[in-house]
Amino acid sequence: MAVLSRRRRAFTLAGVAALALAASACGSGDSGSGSNNADKPECAPFAQYKVDKTKHVSIYATIRDAEAEKLEKSWKQFSDCTNIKIDYEGSGEFETQIKVRSDGGQPPDIAIFPQPGLLSSFAKTKKLKELPAPVKANLDKNWSKDWAKYTTVDGKIYGVPLGANVKSLVWYSPGLFKEKNWKVPTTWDEMIKLSDDIAASGIQAWCAGIESGDATGWPATDWIEDIVLRDQGPDVYDQWVNHTIPFNDPKIFSAAERAASILKNPKYVGNPKTIVTTSFQEAGLPVKEKKCGLHRQANFYSNQWPKGTNVGPDGDVFAFYFPPVDPSKGKPVLVGGEFVSAFSDRDEVVKVQTYLSSGEWANSKAKLGDWISANKSLDVSLVQGTIDKLSVQILQDSATVARFDGSDLMPAQVGSKSFWTGMTDWINGTKDTKQTLDYIESTWPK
């Protein structure tokens, strides 16, 4: 789910101090000319973006609070050195207000879309500009075709990825594994054998929770999506998400039954109904307490561990890649993220787009911590935190076959409504697998 995938920790004082020093080196005046800044060594990397007179570029997104502060700091040196002033606004009502602003003739210069489907809806009505040549060049250089296709509409490309998250992770306690001599699994069969061993030891094998207020059910949709990728492969996943096969196709039934073998298995989870009333935030906490062996959740779950938790391969908790069913078919990874698109093609807007699609900006943002990207030019050594490093390594692995969160690609009445409620009823036991998939299929817009 895009909203939850954007949760991040507060920025560190050290990171802020470093950016502040760099910014002061360049100067931050809003004068009519930036020629003095351009002569400073610190500004040499930004020479290609410089404009002669002060220009303003507006950016609108869902990113708010501490994360928004980091975002603005990530481009401050660029702004100070180029004379391009970025006017940023983050909103919790982005999905509604971006349409209002566009229809009213006052769209932002740049929008950061949390869902490819929403971006596509604007591209189809010709509201967005096609990617300019320098941005397209960065897209080709820095991202795989798996990512590029999510902003391609009728053969034309309208956006470039920004941040990302990796959902195909399983959290565990390294200490517990060491005590029990359990090994991190590398295949689905090994993971099931491990689950059996954990259950036999008297510890709950898996913990899960799908309660999330109005969005209850979304964690279960991630389970189904992740397993469709593993059980059926990326081609079937694409057909399912695009509805070229129905939601209740036998292939999807097979994947859902594989998910049920864990989520609805009392041997692994105790009473499955408790999953419905357990919040997403609290679901994995028993892992740290060694009361639960495994918890499937994205890299952003690192924000949910109690303060002082040591996250790392020798720490209180860590995570491993959710293993494939058939390793010979590649490394399927379920991802989420944001995409940058523009309503304007003024020179200064193109320059901001170009910078945000560069490896230089990605590295600047990564230094601030708690952020990852699928940008191939991102230097892993600059990424802060062990889970984020692991996630970037997965994204940059040539064997990785990435697919975007399916519920974010499906029509809203399915992806953020019937899919959520259907999964809730499924785990609660009020509907079996066939009834659940038939119900969701019946809600797909005709």
Side-chain angles (χ1 to χ4, degrees):
M1 178 189 175
V3 172
L4 288 165
S5 71
R6 296 192 296 271
R7 292 178 181 270
R8 295 290 183 265
R9 294 183 294 270
F11 55 88
T12 63
L13 293 176
V16 174
L19 262 292
L21 287 172
S24 63
C26 272
S28 58
D30 192 46
S31 64
S33 172
S35 58
N36 291 335
N37 285 342
D39 294 334
K40 295 184 177 182
E42 297 85 355
C43 290
F46 306 101
Q48 63 178 307
Y49 304 110
K50 185 181 175 297
V51 296
D52 293 332
K53 295 182 179 180
T54 299
K55 301 290 185 180
H56 286 259
V57 174
S58 60
I59 298 181
Y60 188 49
T62 59
I63 302 166
R64 294 173 289 163
D65 304 323
E67 189 179 357
E69 293 183 54
K70 284 188 185 181
L71 188 63
E72 293 186 84
K73 291 178 190 304
S74 73
W75 58 54
K76 180 168 173 48
Q77 190 173 6
F78 164 89
S79 182
D80 291 342
C81 289
T82 63
N83 225 25
I84 300 174
K85 308 308 175 185
I86 298 176
D87 303 318
Y88 177 77
E89 180 184 356
S91 172
E93 299 179 347
F94 173 89
E95 287 84 349
T96 300
Q97 289 302 312
I98 189 66
K99 186 176 188 306
V100 171
R101 295 185 183 196
S102 177
D103 289 347
Q106 295 183 317
D109 294 318
I110 292 173
I112 301 176
F113 288 92
Q115 303 106 354
L118 183 60
L119 184 156
S120 295
S121 68
F122 282 86
K124 288 175 181 176
T125 57
K126 310 301 181 183
K127 297 290 182 66
L128 299 177
K129 302 295 183 181
E130 287 185 55
L131 282 195
V135 186
K136 175 63 165 55
N138 278 348
L139 176 66
D140 293 340
K141 173 186 175 183
N142 294 327
W143 279 274
S144 70
K145 292 180 180 180
D146 289 340
W147 283 89
K149 73 177 185 178
Y150 291 119
T151 60
T152 301
V153 178
D154 297 329
K156 299 177 180 179
I157 305 175
Y158 294 90
V160 65
L162 193 71
N165 55 67
V166 171
K167 299 195 172 192
S168 301
L169 295 176
V170 179
W171 292 86
Y172 71 104
S173 165
L176 179 62
F177 271 44
K178 185 175 182 179
E179 290 172 19
K180 301 292 186 179
N181 199 30
W182 293 331
K183 305 298 183 184
V184 169
T186 58
T187 68
W188 183 273
D189 288 343
E190 288 179 2
M191 187 178 71
I192 295 304
K193 175 61 168 60
L194 172 64
S195 302
D196 291 335
D197 291 344
I198 296 172
S201 75
I203 298 172
Q204 184 171 312
W206 288 86
C207 44
I210 66 168
E211 191 281 319
S212 188
D214 292 341
T216 293
W218 75 262
T221 70
D222 281 3
W223 267 91
I224 301 297
E225 292 157 6
D226 234 343
I227 293 178
V228 169
L229 270 177
R230 282 155 178 74
D231 191 67
Q232 298 295 326
D235 291 342
V236 170
Y237 184 90
D238 293 341
Q239 294 165 14
W240 172 54
V241 168
N242 295 321
H243 206 231
T244 56
I245 63 171
F247 207 103
N248 55 358
D249 186 274
K251 297 183 180 71
I252 310 306
F253 180 88
S254 171
E257 286 290 277
R258 189 183 287 276
S261 71
I262 294 177
L263 288 177
K264 300 183 73 172
N265 186 346
K267 175 183 172 183
Y268 289 166
V269 302
N271 182 357
K273 291 184 178 181
T274 62
I275 294 174
V276 175
T277 56
T278 301
S279 73
F280 145 75
Q281 294 89 343
E282 297 178 352
L285 300 186
V287 169
K288 182 186 177 184
E289 301 167 2
K290 300 181 180 180
K291 295 179 179 179
C292 172
L294 305 167
H295 177 62
R296 195 220 70 90
Q297 191 50 268
N299 63 296
F300 55 75
Y301 194 78
S302 59
N303 297 330
Q304 304 304 323
W305 300 112
K307 185 177 180 180
T309 299
N310 181 359
V311 179
D314 298 314
D316 301 316
V317 295
F318 196 48
F320 59 81
Y321 164 68
F322 193 37
V325 173
D326 182 355
S328 70
K329 294 183 178 178
K331 195 171 185 178
V333 177
L334 186 68
V335 299
E338 308 105 3
F339 298 84
V340 177
S341 194
F343 289 84
S344 169
D345 56 5
R346 301 194 314 276
D347 178 59
E348 61 270 22
V349 175
V350 172
K351 287 180 175 178
V352 172
Q353 281 182 281
T354 305
Y355 180 58
L356 292 179
S357 61
S358 70
E360 290 74 20
W361 177 80
N363 289 322
S364 172
K365 183 70 170 67
K367 289 176 185 177
L368 295 174
D370 201 23
W371 181 86
I372 65 172
S373 172
N375 189 318
K376 295 177 184 178
S377 295
L378 175 59
D379 184 346
V380 179
S381 70
L382 300 177
V383 176
Q384 308 296 303
T386 53
I387 285 295
D388 285 348
K389 285 183 183 293
L390 172 64
S391 299
V392 172
Q393 288 166 354
I394 290 172
L395 289 171
Q396 293 186 345
D397 189 332
S398 60
T400 291
V401 180
R403 286 297 183 272
F404 205 86
D405 182 296
S407 60
D408 281 347
L409 298 173
M410 295 173 184
Q413 55 266 59
V414 177
S416 56
K417 191 174 181 181
S418 64
F419 199 0
W420 293 353
T421 58
M423 288 295 98
T424 302
D425 290 341
W426 178 68
I427 290 179
N428 211 22
T430 57
K431 288 187 176 74
D432 63 22
T433 301
K434 182 180 185 304
Q435 291 169 328
T436 299
L437 300 184
D438 287 346
Y439 157 68
I440 299 172
E441 170 61 23
S442 73
T443 67
W444 200 283
K446 306 300 188 221

